[in-house]
Amino acid sequence: MPINLDQPDDILAAKYKRVMLKISGEALMGDQGFGLHPPTVQRIAKEVKAVHDMGVEICMVIGGGNIFRGLSGSAQGMERTTADYMGMLATVMNALGMQSALEGLGVFTRVISAIRMDEVAEPYIRRRAVRHLEKKRVCIFAAGTGNPYFTTDTAATLRANEMACEAILMGKNGVDGVYDKDPKEHADAVRYDTVTYDDVLAKRLKVMDASAIALARDNNLPLLVFSLDEPGGFKGILSGQGTYTRVQG
């Protein structure tokens, strides 16, 4: 059942006080197939605001695949390091778009970039970022780790550990958890309620890349995979409701 985003927050007590929300760049492009779709960005921003209004401290990492994906560029003959840096810049554009949507809803937000670009984003300084969270500002971490060959999944897991997040929430498009095989291609795909990080690696389940999974496992950081398509899904997970898969050690 969809969660009412306007339901009083004293009824829905949050399970976690500080979380990392990881979403793909593709989540922002709606049905248009490329770039940013403002109504979709606005919808996701409302989901984030609903959780923020519960008093939860929120970190975010957004991929850049709706604009440019470094690995795809590399596969087409572009030098990998250059392609990855271009992908990092795409994540900054997405972060700025989400910041604009959130601040339009009255949520104070900081875009924090692993690559210095002081005119548009703050440089990453861990203590400053923690202070922003303590002041109830949403922190959107952009430009990945600032290094090529690392995905935004790894960046999200790294920042979640540095910010002492209690869980990573991964919002998926059209999928409400982790399945033994792609449910879009296989009608008999089975969803897991819970699965271990070791099983994710051993069975090569498509959740995060192996580096991110290993980093989360080694730091006992739970991962909750849910659907971004369900209205109120983000708030529901934080309230112990909704459908999702919990990945843990």
Side-chain angles (χ1 to χ4, degrees), residues 50 116 157 178 208 218:
R116 292 193 70 101
T157 309
V178 179
M208 283 181 160
D218 293 346

Side-chain angles (χ1 to χ4, degrees), residues 9-54:
D9 297 322
D10 57 353
I11 295 177
L12 297 175
K15 293 177 60 178
Y16 302 107
K17 297 302 181 185
R18 181 180 295 174
V19 299
M20 166 65 72
L21 174 63
K22 167 63 172 67
I23 61 177
S24 66
E26 288 88 342
L28 304 184
M29 66 186 185
D31 296 328
Q32 63 187 16
F34 180 81
L36 289 166
H37 183 239
T40 300
V41 177
Q42 186 76 8
R43 177 180 63 80
I44 295 175
K46 289 180 179 177
E47 298 272 343
V48 175
K49 181 182 186 300
V51 172
H52 180 268
D53 288 346
M54 297 170 69

Side-chain angles (χ1 to χ4, degrees), residues 12-207:
L12 297 175
K15 293 177 60 178
Y16 302 107
K17 297 302 181 185
R18 181 180 295 174
V19 299
M20 166 65 72
L21 174 63
K22 167 63 172 67
I23 61 177
S24 66
E26 288 88 342
L28 304 184
M29 66 186 185
D31 296 328
Q32 63 187 16
F34 180 81
L36 289 166
H37 183 239
T40 300
V41 177
Q42 186 76 8
R43 177 180 63 80
I44 295 175
K46 289 180 179 177
E47 298 272 343
V48 175
K49 181 182 186 300
V51 172
H52 180 268
D53 288 346
M54 297 170 69
V56 178
E57 297 171 1
I58 303 172
C59 304
M60 293 184 69
V61 168
I62 307 172
N66 58 317
I67 300 173
F68 188 86
R69 186 181 294 276
L71 193 57
S72 297
S74 176
Q76 296 179 35
M78 184 176 291
E79 193 271 324
R80 174 64 187 271
T81 300
T82 298
D84 279 354
Y85 277 121
M86 292 173 67
M88 293 179 213
L89 296 179
T91 71
V92 177
M93 295 172 67
N94 285 336
L96 292 173
M98 182 58 65
Q99 179 186 45
S100 177
L102 284 169
E103 293 192 339
L105 296 172
V107 179
F108 292 108
T109 309
R110 294 291 185 272
V111 172
I112 301 172
S113 174
I115 298 175
R116 292 193 70 101
M117 46 185 78
D118 296 345
E119 288 76 11
V120 297
E122 291 186 7
Y124 176 68
I125 300 172
R126 188 185 67 84
R127 288 180 178 271
R128 180 186 292 177
V130 169
R131 186 59 179 148
H132 285 320
L133 292 172
E134 292 171 347
K135 291 182 177 180
K136 306 303 179 185
R137 297 166 181 159
V138 173
C139 289
I140 307 177
F141 296 100
T145 66
N147 301 287
Y149 294 94
F150 289 93
T151 68
T152 51
D153 287 344
T154 301
T157 309
L158 174 64
R159 298 296 184 233
N161 280 296
E162 290 178 311
M163 295 297 105
C165 292
E166 297 173 313
I168 301 174
L169 282 84
M170 174 165 279
K172 292 284 191 178
N173 299 333
V175 181
D176 59 357
V178 179
Y179 287 76
D180 62 345
K181 47 193 169 184
D182 190 343
K184 297 177 181 178
E185 298 179 2
H186 303 276
D188 60 343
V190 178
R191 187 180 64 82
Y192 296 98
D193 287 326
T194 61
V195 64
T196 67
Y197 281 115
D198 285 338
D199 282 342
V200 169
L201 291 171
K203 297 178 181 179
R204 297 186 177 182
L205 302 177
K206 295 181 179 180
V207 182

Side-chain angles (χ1 to χ4, degrees), residues 208-227:
M208 283 181 160
D209 66 79
S211 297
I213 291 293
L215 182 58
R217 178 195 61 191
D218 293 346
N219 290 277
N220 298 314
L221 185 63
L223 169 65
L224 281 64
V225 183
F226 69 103
S227 174

